[in-house]
């Protein structure tokens, strides 16, 4: 993967993870109730769930590459369309303030990890997102495993960074609200980035050409 493709992948992944959702609220709630170091266990659960979704998507995409370059190209263009649709959806979504509740949470390590894991696994949008995103950045003419390893590591680090940030916010903003304007700003940035990614991928020269 060249530096241009990697940069787009990193920024897009980071901003999409940043969009507030159930996993962000879980990380914030754990952070509001626990020390940041303890809440990080829940963050690892969320990141592990995303790696599972990533693995499922990568397995399917890899099979397409082996089976048919034409079919892979079709999926790639469907992915471009989905990224544009997803970008518009996030961009136009309405945002309201998020309350961080400082309530008691079971602090057992296994419980925290499972909570993060289950919350994220219950969000099938992540699977759809990875299935749409991966074909845009995979070069069928280069070693596949290394490309997937780089993207998986990037995703894991983005998850850990962003959800740790939500845990930190929860710890320091318990009983306060994350303002609606800030949530709108995050959504706008992520939506515009997804639109940019879809359009940019449609304009870039196909790897297989």
């Amino acid at each position: 993967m060249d530096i241009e493709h990697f940069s787009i992948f990193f920024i897009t992944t980071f901003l999409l993870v940043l969009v507030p959702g159930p996993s962000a609220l879980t990380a914030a709630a754990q952070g509001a109730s626990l020390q940041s170091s303890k809440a990080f266990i829940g963050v690892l659960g969320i990141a592990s769930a995303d790696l599972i979704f990533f693995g499922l998507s990568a397995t399917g995409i890899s099979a397409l590459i082996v089976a048919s370059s034409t079919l892979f190209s079709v999926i790639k263009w469907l992915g471009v369309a989905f990224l544009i649709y997803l970008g518009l959806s996030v961009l136009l979504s309405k945002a309201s303030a998020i309350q961080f509740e400082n309530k008691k949470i079971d602090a057992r390590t296994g419980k925290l990890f499972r909570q993060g894991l289950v919350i994220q696994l219950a969000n099938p949008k992540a699977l759809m997102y990875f299935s749409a995103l991966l074909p845009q950045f995979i070069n069928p003419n280069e070693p596949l495993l290394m490309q997937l390893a780089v993207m998986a590591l990037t995703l894991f680090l983005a998850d850990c960074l962003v959800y740790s940030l939500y845990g930190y916010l929860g710890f320091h903003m318990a009983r306060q609200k994350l303002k609606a304007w800030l949530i709108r700003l995050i959504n706008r940035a992520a939506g515009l980035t997804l639109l940019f990614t879809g359009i940019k991928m449609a304009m870039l020269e196909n790897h297989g050409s």
Side-chain angles (χ1 to χ4, degrees):
M1 181 187 299
D2 59 44
I3 188 64
E4 181 180 16
H5 282 79
F6 177 79
S7 298
I8 298 173
F9 175 80
F10 174 78
I11 294 172
T12 304
T13 301
F14 181 86
L15 284 175
L16 190 71
V17 173
L18 191 62
V19 173
S23 295
L25 294 179
T26 298
Q30 290 182 350
S33 179
L34 307 167
Q35 295 291 330
S36 299
S37 58
K38 193 73 172 179
F40 185 69
I41 301 300
V43 171
L44 289 178
I46 297 171
S48 297
D50 270 347
L51 285 181
I52 292 173
F53 281 136
F54 183 92
L56 291 173
S57 301
T59 300
I61 297 303
S62 300
L64 285 176
I65 294 175
V66 173
S68 170
S69 58
T70 300
L71 185 56
F72 177 72
S73 296
V74 170
I75 297 298
K76 181 181 176 74
W77 280 101
L78 288 175
V80 168
F82 179 74
L83 288 174
I84 293 175
Y85 164 78
L86 188 60
L88 288 172
S89 298
V90 174
L91 189 63
L92 300 176
S93 64
K94 295 182 179 180
S96 57
I98 296 178
Q99 180 75 46
F100 292 143
E101 297 183 1
N102 187 9
K103 57 184 180 181
K104 190 66 175 178
I105 288 180
D106 190 336
R108 288 176 296 177
T109 299
K111 183 73 172 182
L112 292 173
F113 182 87
R114 287 194 299 273
Q115 185 179 20
L117 181 72
V118 170
I119 288 292
Q120 186 66 352
L121 286 178
N123 179 19
K125 289 183 180 179
L127 181 60
M128 296 175 64
Y129 167 69
F130 295 132
S131 297
L133 191 69
L134 292 185
Q136 317 310 321
F137 297 96
I138 291 177
N139 185 346
N141 300 318
E142 295 182 0
L144 187 58
L145 187 58
M146 180 58 68
Q147 296 179 73
L148 293 176
V150 169
M151 286 189 280
L153 179 59
T154 301
L155 166 66
F156 184 80
L157 292 177
D159 273 346
C160 289
L161 179 61
V162 170
Y163 290 119
S164 292
L165 174 62
Y166 275 112
Y168 177 84
L169 287 174
F171 180 69
H172 289 278
M173 297 179 63
R175 298 191 180 92
Q176 299 182 35
K177 291 182 178 180
L178 185 60
K179 302 301 183 181
W181 69 264
L182 180 57
I183 301 172
R184 284 195 297 269
L185 179 63
I186 293 172
N187 286 343
R188 299 301 181 268
L192 287 173
T193 301
L194 287 169
L195 283 174
F196 172 78
T197 300
I199 295 171
K200 182 73 172 178
M201 291 300 100
M203 296 175 62
L204 285 176
E205 184 179 356
N206 193 298
H207 280 309
S209 61

